[in-house]
Amino acid sequence: MAAEVERIDRSIRHHLGRARADASGGATRRRTLLAPAVEGVAGALGRLHADRGIAFAADIPAGLALAVDPQDLDELLGNLLDNGWRWAAHRLALTATADPVTGRARIAIEDDGPGIPAEDRAEALRPGRRLDERGAGHGFGLSIARELVELSGGSLQLAAPPAAAWPRS
């Protein structure tokens, strides 16, 4: 039964996302500046998680815009950055780059938290699946983020940063 519910949920989300993309112009939709979106979402989350004392830094090229609906971008950033704030020990960073040849952007969000074990990463992207039941949440954030990225023609990968990326204090 759970597998069937998941299949139906995935189908509904897919079709709603396609309808939203079509309604906003699909591939011709307007471009959304990344830096102001990150600033707004990170500002709100920073206040929400102020008691954690997490240092946030963003490195985004000036003028970098994505072919994604502003509301979708806010939801995507909100889900991913909220996870970062929840799990980071001390630091959270967002780095964006643009490939001048393809015009594609790469956004990396890294924190110095425990990470998701490699064998659990695919499971973490399944709708309604939580690997840790502590705290608030329903297990849909990462799957929604993945779907939003895929509807915009991208891909979402969960990975561990290089060991030297976060010097320990």
Side-chain angles (χ1 to χ4, degrees):
M1 180 95 148
E4 186 63 15
V5 169
E6 182 178 333
R7 185 192 66 74
I8 292 168
D9 178 69
R10 191 172 47 248
S11 178
I12 290 169
R13 288 178 183 278
H14 171 77
H15 291 294
L16 286 173
R18 283 287 174 220
R20 182 172 35 206
D22 289 344
S24 65
T28 62
R29 67 183 166 260
R30 67 184 172 141
R31 299 179 64 75
T32 304
L33 288 171
L34 181 58
V38 169
E39 184 179 316
V41 171
L45 288 170
R47 288 186 299 277
L48 182 66
H49 295 285
D51 62 319
R52 303 252 4 263
I54 303 299
F56 176 73
D59 182 10
I60 303 168
L64 179 60
L66 308 175
V68 62
D69 177 78
Q71 183 177 348
D72 287 349
L73 183 57
D74 285 348
E75 186 171 0
L76 169 66
L77 292 170
N79 282 323
L80 297 176
L81 289 173
D82 186 51
N83 276 347
W85 248 287
R86 288 173 187 251
W87 292 102
H90 305 286
R91 299 179 202 98
L92 174 62
L94 182 146
T95 305
T97 56
D99 185 318
V101 176
T102 66
R104 295 183 64 83
R106 180 179 187 277
I107 301 170
I109 298 174
E110 298 175 293
D111 64 67
D112 62 348
I116 300 172
E119 63 273 11
D120 292 337
R121 291 180 190 146
E123 186 71 12
L125 293 170
R126 289 184 51 211
R129 182 64 174 106
R130 293 183 62 192
L131 299 179
D132 187 332
E133 296 294 327
R134 291 180 295 156
H138 295 57
F140 287 97
L142 289 176
S143 65
I144 289 170
R146 186 196 72 228
E147 289 178 20
L148 290 170
V149 169
E150 289 174 354
L151 286 170
S152 297
S155 64
L156 177 68
Q157 298 173 0
L158 303 178
W166 293 104
R168 300 292 175 181
S169 43

